[in-house]
Amino acid sequence: MHNGGIEHREGNVSPRAGADPFDTETIAYGPSGFKGLVAAPYIFGVSLLASLAGFSFGYDQGVISIILTMPQFHKVFPTTAPGSPTYGFSTGFMTGMLELGGFIGCLFFPYLTDRYSRKWGLSIAVVIYILGAVLQTAAHNYTTLVVGRAIGGIGVGTLALGAPLYIGEVAPPNIRGSLLVLEQFSIVIGAIIAYWVSYGCRGIESEWAFRLPFLLQMPSALIVGIGIHFFPFSPRWLCMRGRNQDACEALARLRRLPQEDHRIQQEWKGIIADVTLQQAARAKMHPGVTGVTLEIAGWIDLFRRKYRKRTVVALGIPFFQQFSGINAFVYYAPIFFKALGQDTERALILSGIVNICQLVACIGTALCLDHVGRRNLSVWGGVAMGIPHAIMAGIVGKYHSSWTSHTGVGWFGVALIYIYVLCYGFTYGPLGWTLPAEVYPSGIRATGIGAAVATNWLANTCIGFSVPQMQVSIGFGTYIFFASWCFIAAVFAFFCVPETKGLTLEQMDMAFGDGAAADEREIRREVFKEVIKVSTLSS
């Protein structure tokens, strides 16, 4: 074991010992895409299990839409009934507490996973999530329901952050993108299943009409919390804890190859080098600072001058993602469709198609994201989302009291909602997760992603709280509100978002004009020399 954290086993020298130890993306483990998934069933199984955390996230978001329309639910929680004087506030507050809990959860989860591992972090998140689900299922008063939603939100927020973190760290480079898309599919599929399960349960005459959908949140989360321990720890986390040999063994198990394989050796050294780089970068920025204090210092770093432009983009895109209005339709779609003149039954069926549109858009995203580019999607996506909202404001404002004689216009409004959801899914849906991961240098990337997810949840909380009351108070003004934010997003993207696809550290500096990675490049050279020196001496 060497002081720099580089460990080398005698006789395991890679044939490519002179290669850049940071370059793990070119390692040939097999084909990419669908063929790569078929060729790697073990890692596909690991990632599929972890992605059930995303399924739980989607389920928790999708389950509430129909429950909010159930008379059985209104009977137990009368303040959420449409005729209640506090309907707007009570409904929004109860719904928004899930998002507020998610915001709280993603603040402490990075520290939890760094200290106790990605696997145990997921298991702890599952325990919190199950506690929230139990409270929601058993609640007999509004306060208990709200507390259950908040605790469940903490669990689902940490699950939503923990699953892609684990998948990204165990997946081989050739299929990492496909496996992370699997996480997005799981979220949307979870929301779809939750919606139609709730739709089927609404015919139950007792309170189980809404208690059963709440109860069914638990199985997928339990499978993740228990099943994840049958698979290896993240090799990256093991290196972070100084367990480099364990990391090599875990990597070999994940790749189903012997530790002596040159690809295992190259990827192993790359992980150690990158971890060493991040630790050295943070030590240089905050000498002598450790523990929670270092975590706080890392969050403050995001707003220092040299990172400020990147942070504006990394936090701005998730903010606009939510203020474009997507979760207004995910949570309250039946309310919007009824406001377009649809009867209750038809509004419920139309609402179920919203998440199916998102699923279709996920497929399109996987095909076009790396071809169109981030800047074009952010600029034109804002325009494309804003136009349906603007048209909706006009027709709802003119025809809101005469839908029976203008049914064609009502159906046109339904089509506009679906067009908006598809535009969102193709553009800002993936951008809210893609851009924050690309814009930061390695030393602060994890903190930057955490801040972006926290922004997403906080903005989501605002939407969950406010939309029911907006529908009651300003009607068609709700669409003007969302259209305005979509067009502002386009202007923001035009002036602030550079193209980041495939850029190196040096090119990213040029794109943002800030030189933020200059210090990291010097540290990177030193770590590179150390890894090459160790490999050369050992050979």
Side-chain angles (χ1 to χ4, degrees):
M1 185 74 67
H2 300 262
N3 292 334
I6 307 299
E7 179 178 326
H8 185 86
R9 284 162 46 90
E10 200 67 46
N12 287 349
V13 182
S14 168
R16 302 181 59 192
D20 181 352
F22 293 93
D23 181 17
T24 60
E25 297 303 310
T26 58
I27 300 174
Y29 280 118
S32 60
F34 180 75
K35 289 182 179 179
L37 296 177
V38 173
Y42 183 81
I43 196 66
F44 179 75
V46 175
S47 301
L48 184 64
L49 175 74
S51 73
L52 286 178
F55 179 92
S56 299
F57 173 36
Y59 188 98
D60 220 22
Q61 287 199 308
V63 76
I64 201 65
S65 343
I66 287 191
I67 286 178
L68 287 173
T69 69
M70 291 182 181
Q72 303 94 318
F73 183 76
H74 298 152
K75 184 178 179 180
V76 179
F77 308 105
T79 56
T80 64
S84 168
T86 61
Y87 161 72
F89 172 80
S90 297
T91 302
F93 186 73
M94 184 268 295
T95 304
M97 286 305 289
L98 178 79
E99 284 68 48
L100 183 59
F103 169 71
I104 295 170
C106 71
L107 292 179
F108 74 78
F109 188 71
Y111 176 76
L112 187 71
T113 57
D114 284 352
R115 184 173 179 84
Y116 298 108
S117 84
R118 286 31 171 161
K119 293 204 306 182
W120 280 108
L122 282 169
S123 293
I124 293 169
V126 166
V127 171
I128 299 170
Y129 180 83
I130 293 297
L131 177 59
V134 168
L135 288 174
Q136 291 174 69
T137 303
H140 281 85
N141 58 70
Y142 181 77
T143 302
T144 305
L145 179 64
V146 168
V147 170
R149 293 284 291 175
I151 293 174
I154 294 173
V156 81
T158 51
L159 284 172
L161 188 58
L165 179 64
Y166 180 75
I167 292 171
E169 292 183 359
V170 302
N174 58 304
I175 55 172
R176 184 178 296 125
S178 299
L179 292 173
L180 287 171
V181 170
L182 178 66
E183 166 77 4
Q184 298 303 312
F185 271 102
S186 294
I187 292 172
V188 177
I189 290 171
I192 292 172
I193 290 177
Y195 187 89
W196 292 108
V197 164
S198 302
Y199 182 85
C201 289
R202 69 196 175 92
I204 301 173
E205 295 183 2
S206 69
E207 295 175 4
W208 281 101
F210 65 88
R211 297 195 190 279
L212 183 57
F214 279 146
L215 179 67
L216 292 176
Q217 298 176 78
M218 302 182 201
S220 60
L222 283 172
I223 292 171
V224 175
I226 297 171
I228 199 70
H229 293 284
F230 291 94
F231 294 103
F233 286 99
S234 157
R236 182 181 184 83
W237 177 80
L238 290 168
C239 289
M240 290 169 63
R241 306 303 294 178
R243 297 166 57 183
N244 293 338
Q245 183 53 45
D246 290 339
C248 186
E249 292 171 3
L251 194 61
R253 183 180 168 195
L254 286 163
R255 302 292 178 263
R256 317 305 281 174
L257 292 169
Q259 295 180 45
E260 294 78 12
D261 189 285
H262 72 88
R263 293 167 293 182
I264 296 294
Q265 288 294 307
Q266 184 185 349
E267 186 175 6
W268 176 54
K269 291 187 177 74
I271 293 169
I272 295 173
D274 194 54
V275 168
T276 305
L277 169 66
Q278 291 195 29
Q279 292 171 343
R282 297 190 79 174
K284 183 175 182 179
M285 288 190 287
H286 306 287
V289 180
T290 58
V292 176
T293 306
L294 183 60
E295 286 293 320
I296 296 172
W299 285 78
I300 295 172
D301 285 339
L302 298 177
F303 300 94
R304 296 189 188 279
R305 185 174 181 179
K306 67 177 179 178
Y307 298 125
R308 200 169 295 157
K309 290 181 180 178
R310 301 173 191 241
T311 299
V312 166
V313 172
L315 304 190
I317 294 297
F319 172 85
F320 288 117
Q321 182 191 56
Q322 292 305 316
F323 271 74
S324 74
I326 184 61
N327 278 324
F329 294 113
V330 171
Y331 299 146
Y332 307 115
I335 298 173
F336 281 95
F337 286 120
K338 288 180 74 173
L340 291 173
Q342 304 295 333
D343 60 44
T344 300
E345 186 67 22
R346 189 173 292 152
L348 294 177
I349 294 174
L350 293 173
S351 299
I353 301 175
V354 168
N355 285 319
I356 295 176
C357 287
Q358 283 208 74
L359 182 61
V360 171
C362 275
I363 298 171
T365 297
L367 298 175
C368 75
L369 180 61
D370 286 328
H371 298 287
V372 179
R374 282 60 160 152
R375 176 176 167 80
N376 284 333
L377 285 178
S378 59
V379 173
W380 295 109
V383 174
M385 293 187 300
I387 291 173
H389 279 310
I391 298 173
M392 284 290 292
I395 66 174
V396 172
K398 183 172 182 179
Y399 298 107
H400 69 278
S401 59
S402 58
W403 292 117
T404 53
S405 55
H406 297 93
T407 55
V409 178
W411 281 106
F412 178 54
V414 170
L416 287 171
I417 289 177
Y418 292 150
I419 290 170
Y420 157 75
V421 173
L422 287 168
C423 290
Y424 166 86
F426 279 119
T427 59
Y428 274 70
L431 285 177
W433 308 103
T434 303
L435 275 170
E438 293 180 333
V439 299
Y440 288 113
S442 298
I444 63 165
R445 184 175 296 133
T447 305
I449 293 172
V453 174
T455 300
N456 186 294
W457 278 109
L458 193 58
N460 203 344
T461 302
C462 295
I463 298 302
F465 278 154
S466 59
V467 167
Q469 190 59 47
M470 289 170 67
Q471 281 283 79
V472 171
S473 302
I474 61 176
F476 73 91
T478 305
Y479 297 102
I480 296 176
F481 175 83
F482 288 130
S484 300
W485 282 113
C486 289
F487 291 131
I488 292 171
V491 175
F492 167 85
F494 182 81
F495 287 105
C496 298
V497 178
E499 183 54 64
T500 62
K501 181 188 68 171
L503 298 188
T504 64
L505 285 171
E506 291 80 4
Q507 292 168 332
M508 199 71 77
D509 277 2
M510 293 177 63
F512 283 98
D514 57 11
D519 292 341
E520 183 171 302
R521 284 197 298 275
E522 182 59 36
I523 299 171
R524 190 182 185 92
R525 281 192 287 269
E526 293 301 316
V527 174
F528 175 86
K529 290 176 184 177
E530 181 181 3
V531 176
I532 295 301
K533 180 180 178 182
V534 170
S535 296
T536 302
L537 289 175
S538 300
S539 58

